[in-house]
Amino acid sequence: MFDYIEKYGSYDFSEKPFNEIDSLIFSQLIYNDFKGIIGPKDIFTLDEAAAKFYEKNTDEDIDLLLDVAKRAARLLTVCSGTKRFGTVVVSDYIDNVNDSIDKQIAGANFLLSDDTLLVAFRGTDATVAGFKESAMLAYMFPIPAQIEALHYFQETAMVHDGPVRLCGHSKGGNLAVYACVNCANSLQTSIKSVDTFDAPGFPLWFFDRYDYKQVEDRLNIYCPQGSLVGRALHMAKAPIIVASNAKTGKQHNVTTWEIDDDRFCVTESFTEESDKISTYLNELVVYIGDKDLEVFYDALEQTANELGITDFYDLKKVDVSLMTIIIDSIQTLNHEQKERFMALARKVMADFAKGYVSEKTQKAMGYVKNITAKIPLVKKKEETNEEE
């Protein structure tokens, strides 16, 4: 991304048309926290927003952020100093977290120099509510953030007289698709593209809807070759599989994706590890069922509340001695809930143990096979020596 910005940063969007790498960049810029900087009615260029961001946040503050937010801050610095991105107008920033209904959503409007409005949604943030709501995608539809994303998109994009695009990484991509599919027909006709980057999918029946079929040709799904998050649930349209230079678990970080000039480096298929893990996780969700999944995540949320954890930064304050509170939280579940919770924990542990043993057994059997294959050759050689 940084090579791309260095090469094309001096061209505005009228001089070099919007492409998939631009979309990826905006899906990451929205991870910057502009709360208290850009209000609902404020309008700034990205350059001005960056200056205000660094007035509010010191280098020490940024060092304490999660990795995705730290990378976004660095990206903001680089982009703001260019003609291509620095002059982009940012408005209608929202960042809403509601613990009582497990909702987390953030988004902004970016007006490009070619008069295109780009609406970007943030993925899961550091809050417990954000984590819980992302998990809710497996057993609830629609989730609160999807509903607000639709309202937000319609209220802000409807006043724009020109082409519209949407993008988002992780849960942000899911919100972008939901808003696009469910918005008013008059707005839907203005949409040029919807780009999702390693974003979880939807229930299968979602793709039978007429309004989905109306926009499917404008939907671009990008996933790394070792994708796990982007293969959760279902997507009716085949993804564009991007090569990555990281191990499977770290490919959700888009800075590991390989780019050639202004295009992604694509590959034909997902890795074998991605196939195995994503298949297992999706089958596990079906096996557990909606009701038990809700019990499981409610128990985790209850534990977090009793520990005073509202976001991942609070985990640093948790003392090991407080593990007793976790145990007590599970004990407060009723008998049926406790049985379900423990059955789920036992199944997952058994499955992973089985997989681990199976992998080790296969390696051992391969080793034995190699050894035994050499035995006849050794024997034959010994017999020849005796005859001599």
Side-chain angles (χ1 to χ4, degrees), residues 186-230:
S186 57
L187 179 53
Q188 210 173 64
T189 56
S190 301
I191 297 172
K192 301 286 287 181
S193 66
V194 184
D195 298 326
T196 76
F197 302 98
D198 209 26
F202 296 86
L204 276 173
W205 57 262
F206 180 78
F207 308 108
D208 294 328
R209 295 170 48 172
Y210 174 77
D211 42 11
Y212 169 78
K213 297 183 186 301
Q214 286 289 96
V215 298
E216 186 178 44
D217 63 329
R218 286 166 278 173
L219 175 60
N220 303 304
I221 304 166
Y222 300 95
C223 291
Q225 62 192 116
S227 174
L228 298 179
V229 176

Side-chain angles (χ1 to χ4, degrees), residues 103-375:
K103 180 181 72 177
Q104 172 260 317
I105 179 174
N109 281 201
F110 297 91
L111 183 61
L112 312 185
S113 52
D114 64 354
D115 200 37
T116 297
L117 180 70
L118 175 71
V119 181
F121 291 103
R122 183 185 298 166
T124 307
D125 65 8
T127 62
V128 170
F131 169 78
K132 171 77 181 296
E133 188 179 43
S134 294
M136 285 161 57
L137 285 167
Y139 61 86
M140 180 186 291
F141 185 83
I143 58 173
Q146 288 172 331
I147 297 170
E148 184 164 345
L150 170 61
H151 293 322
Y152 168 78
F153 178 56
Q154 292 206 139
E155 288 175 7
T156 59
M158 283 287 275
V159 299
H160 177 68
D161 184 20
V164 177
R165 298 181 186 274
L166 299 94
C167 71
H169 169 252
S170 196
K171 188 179 80 171
N174 179 283
L175 300 183
V177 174
Y178 184 88
C180 169
V181 169
N182 290 280
C183 71
N185 288 337
S186 57
L187 179 53
Q188 210 173 64
T189 56
S190 301
I191 297 172
K192 301 286 287 181
S193 66
V194 184
D195 298 326
T196 76
F197 302 98
D198 209 26
F202 296 86
L204 276 173
W205 57 262
F206 180 78
F207 308 108
D208 294 328
R209 295 170 48 172
Y210 174 77
D211 42 11
Y212 169 78
K213 297 183 186 301
Q214 286 289 96
V215 298
E216 186 178 44
D217 63 329
R218 286 166 278 173
L219 175 60
N220 303 304
I221 304 166
Y222 300 95
C223 291
Q225 62 192 116
S227 174
L228 298 179
V229 176
R231 302 187 72 182
L233 301 177
H234 308 280
M235 270 295 185
K237 190 171 184 178
I240 298 164
I241 304 173
V242 182
S244 170
N245 56 31
K247 293 182 179 179
T248 296
K250 295 184 178 180
Q251 291 188 21
H252 194 53
N253 169 8
V254 301
T255 61
T256 71
W257 297 14
E258 296 181 5
I259 294 171
D260 181 16
D261 194 48
D262 60 356
R263 287 287 179 268
F264 288 115
C265 297
V266 298
T267 184
E268 291 183 359
S269 60
F270 290 110
T271 62
E272 183 179 353
E273 190 174 16
S274 170
D275 285 339
K276 285 182 178 179
I277 297 175
S278 59
T279 298
Y280 172 76
L281 292 176
N282 282 324
E283 288 177 351
L284 184 64
V285 166
V286 174
Y287 171 83
I288 297 169
D290 295 351
K291 188 175 181 181
D292 288 355
L293 278 171
E294 188 171 2
V295 168
F296 179 77
Y297 286 110
D298 282 347
L300 290 181
E301 183 179 34
Q302 180 180 329
T303 300
N305 290 337
E306 293 187 18
L307 289 172
I309 297 172
T310 58
D311 58 39
F312 285 101
Y313 302 112
D314 289 335
L315 288 173
K316 297 177 182 178
K317 309 171 196 171
V318 176
D319 191 275
V320 176
S321 63
L322 295 178
M323 285 298 292
T324 53
I325 298 178
I326 297 177
I327 298 170
D328 290 341
S329 295
I330 296 174
Q331 294 301 319
T332 60
L333 299 174
N334 63 43
H335 179 72
E336 184 182 3
Q337 291 174 326
K338 197 184 301 181
E339 284 295 313
R340 288 176 181 162
F341 188 92
M342 297 310 295
L344 170 58
R346 283 194 296 270
K347 173 175 173 52
V348 172
M349 286 189 288
D351 286 344
F352 273 92
K354 182 176 162 187
Y356 178 79
V357 171
S358 174
E359 182 183 348
K360 291 297 181 185
T361 302
Q362 287 175 15
K363 286 183 178 178
M365 290 301 292
Y367 179 72
V368 171
K369 188 176 180 181
N370 288 335
I371 295 294
T372 54
K374 296 175 183 178
I375 292 176

